[in-house]
């Protein structure tokens, strides 16, 4: 008899063992020649060496499935141990899986254009109204790059438009003051990565979330860099950001030119960049529309109503 300790790394043991250890009991039943005991993230296994090696291989496959798809069912366990493809592995066009196991992929033609542009260009501008999936898909692409090891880190930033006097009235230190502006980025990441894993990556600076001002002076290499809400940058700010690009870096710049919150008379850096950089090799611009909105159906109607109102206002003025 041989005894081996197998450490479960990078995944939540609870997700692997299942609710009330239902997965663990199933795994034990599939390996009746072994004695398997679990304590935290360590499995103590006793049995013949050949069977132990077979068990360890299957546990690596189960861990890899959980890391990739963020879900593990009893059916998945059976398929993996039998050497068969799971339903998740059979899905096509999936970027990553949400924490609930939902496949995250394009849901419209323009969303697919964004994914294709990312795969073929180093810098992509995604412009369109709220709810079209610009930010969410961009973060999914970044998480995929991290999982596939085509990037070493993810850097996410947003302009804190009210970074002047209003910020000073918020309680807490600088991080507490800035976090409300960055919350949508945290929300998307938490939907794609386990909380413990996300916290660990942030502590190790594998994932960095910061306001745009913190980018000055940096060279961003081996990373996927996302600038969200770019319509609220000044021309100088966006120029500074774009020139941070280093080797083996992909940049995604998202924004909605109908929601500029800059002071009246201040030109949007995003608008100037689109005019200036149009047609440059290596840069792609993907324009999204209300047809790409994937939020509640009312969002599409709201966007349409505001467009109609703005059109009427322009007609009156002229």
């Amino acid at each position: 008899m041989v005894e081996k300790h197998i450490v479960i790394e990078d995944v939540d043991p609870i997700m692997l063992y299942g609710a009330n250890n239902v997965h663990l009991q199933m795994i034990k039943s599939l390996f009746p020649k072994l004695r398997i005991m679990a304590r935290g993230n360590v499995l103590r296994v006793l049995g013949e060496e050949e069977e132990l090696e077979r068990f360890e291989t299957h546990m690596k496959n189960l861990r890899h499935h959980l890391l990739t798809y963020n879900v593990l069912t009893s059916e998945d366990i059976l398929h993996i141990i039998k050497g068969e493809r799971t339903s998740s592995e059979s899905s096509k066009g999936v970027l990553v899986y949400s924490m609930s196991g939902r496949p995250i992929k394009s849901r419209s033609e323009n969303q697919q254009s964004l994914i294709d542009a990312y795969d073929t260009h180093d810098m992509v501008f995604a412009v369109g109204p709220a709810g079209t999936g610009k930010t969410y898909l961009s973060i999914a692409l970044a998480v995929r790059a991290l999982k596939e090891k085509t990037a070493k880190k993810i850097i996410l930033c947003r302009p804190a438009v009210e970074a002047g006097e209003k910020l000073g009235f918020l309680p807490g230190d600088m991080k507490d003051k800035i976090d409300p502006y960055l919350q949508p980025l945290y929300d998307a990441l938490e939907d794609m990565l386990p909380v413990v894993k996300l916290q660990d990556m942030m502590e190790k600076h594998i994932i960095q979330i910061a306001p745009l001002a913190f980018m000055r002076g940096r060279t961003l290499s081996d990373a996927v860099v996302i600038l969200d809400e770019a319509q609220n940058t000044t021309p100088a700010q966006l120029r500074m950001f774009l020139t941070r690009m280093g080797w083996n870096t992909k940049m995604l710049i998202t924004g909605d030119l109908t929601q500029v919150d800059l002071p009246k008379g201040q030109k949007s850096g995003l608008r100037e960049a689109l005019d200036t950089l149009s047609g440059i090799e290596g840069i792609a611009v993907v324009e999204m529309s209300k047809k790409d909105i994937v939020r509640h159906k009312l969002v599409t109607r709201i966007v349409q109503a505001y467009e109609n109102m703005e059109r009427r206002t322009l007609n009156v003025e002229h």
Side-chain angles (χ1 to χ4, degrees):
M1 292 281 281
V2 178
E3 179 177 328
K4 194 158 194 174
H5 289 199
I6 298 171
V7 180
I8 308 300
E9 296 179 312
D10 299 328
V11 297
D12 186 347
I14 295 172
M15 293 181 72
L16 180 62
Y17 301 157
N20 300 317
N21 286 335
V22 65
H23 291 167
L24 183 60
Q25 295 306 320
M26 183 180 186
I27 292 167
K28 286 181 178 181
S29 70
L30 292 167
F31 292 90
K33 295 179 182 179
L34 297 177
R35 188 179 174 199
I36 303 166
M37 294 155 284
R39 175 165 291 183
N41 69 330
V42 178
L43 288 172
R44 181 174 167 231
V45 192
L46 289 87
E48 297 299 326
E49 189 169 358
E50 187 176 334
E51 187 71 357
L52 273 172
E53 288 177 2
R54 191 172 79 87
F55 174 79
E56 189 170 17
T57 298
H58 285 306
M59 289 308 297
K60 285 179 180 176
N61 292 337
L62 290 173
R63 172 184 161 275
H64 180 265
H65 188 279
L66 195 48
L67 271 173
T68 304
Y69 304 109
N70 287 328
V71 68
L72 186 69
T73 65
S74 298
E75 189 180 54
D76 292 334
I77 293 171
L78 277 174
H79 283 306
I80 290 167
I81 290 177
K82 287 180 180 178
E84 300 170 351
R85 289 171 66 85
T86 66
S87 56
S88 297
E89 290 171 322
S90 301
S91 300
K92 293 182 179 180
V94 178
L95 297 176
V96 289
Y97 285 77
S98 74
M99 290 311 300
S100 63
R102 174 177 54 84
I104 298 171
K105 56 183 179 178
S106 65
R107 295 172 62 183
S108 72
E109 188 177 334
N110 285 330
Q111 285 191 356
Q112 186 59 48
S113 295
L114 172 56
I115 295 168
D116 294 341
Y118 172 88
D119 289 336
T120 54
H121 295 75
D122 289 335
M123 184 179 290
V124 180
F125 287 83
V127 185
T132 51
K134 305 182 300 295
T135 303
Y136 194 77
L137 269 183
S138 295
I139 291 176
L141 286 163
V143 171
R144 182 188 70 173
L146 210 57
K147 289 190 172 190
E148 294 179 350
K149 302 189 186 305
T150 56
K152 293 182 180 178
K153 55 183 178 280
I154 298 173
I155 300 170
L156 309 171
C157 60
R158 267 188 161 201
V161 179
E162 298 91 348
E165 57 182 12
K166 290 185 182 178
L167 204 60
F169 291 105
L170 294 173
D173 59 18
M174 182 54 71
K175 183 179 184 299
D176 294 328
K177 293 173 189 287
I178 289 166
D179 273 357
Y181 299 101
L182 307 175
Q183 192 59 48
L185 306 179
Y186 288 114
D187 291 344
L189 285 168
E190 287 172 357
D191 195 33
M192 300 176 204
L193 293 167
V195 173
V196 174
K197 177 86 170 169
L198 175 57
Q199 288 173 345
D200 181 60
M201 286 180 164
M202 292 183 72
E203 286 172 5
K204 292 176 179 175
H205 302 291
I206 296 169
I207 295 178
Q208 303 170 32
I209 305 179
L212 178 60
F214 285 30
M215 295 299 108
R216 188 172 297 279
R218 299 184 63 183
T219 299
L220 309 173
S221 301
D222 299 310
V224 179
V225 188
I226 299 171
L227 173 60
D228 192 33
E229 300 287 352
Q231 76 276 5
N232 288 327
T233 61
T234 65
Q237 285 175 329
L238 189 50
R239 183 176 179 179
M240 175 275 292
F241 172 81
L242 297 178
T243 55
R244 300 305 95 200
M245 192 172 194
W247 293 106
N248 191 35
T249 290
K250 294 262 191 178
M251 277 192 167
L252 287 150
I253 301 95
T254 71
D256 177 4
L257 287 168
T258 67
Q259 294 189 355
V260 178
D261 298 319
L262 293 167
K264 194 172 183 180
Q266 174 68 67
K267 186 176 182 180
S268 168
L270 178 59
R271 189 178 297 280
E272 180 178 274
L274 292 173
D275 293 339
T276 306
L277 304 177
S278 177
I280 291 182
E281 186 179 353
I283 298 177
V285 177
V286 179
E287 294 187 12
M288 309 181 92
S289 70
K290 55 182 178 290
K291 291 180 181 178
D292 301 300
I293 292 175
V294 291
R295 292 182 186 169
H296 193 286
K297 59 186 178 183
L298 274 177
V299 176
T300 306
R301 297 173 191 168
I302 290 167
V303 170
Q304 182 65 60
Y306 274 100
E307 285 181 359
N308 293 341
M309 181 269 291
E310 288 167 358
R311 204 173 291 116
R312 289 195 299 271
T313 302
L314 284 172
N315 289 337
V316 170
E317 289 176 352
H318 288 87

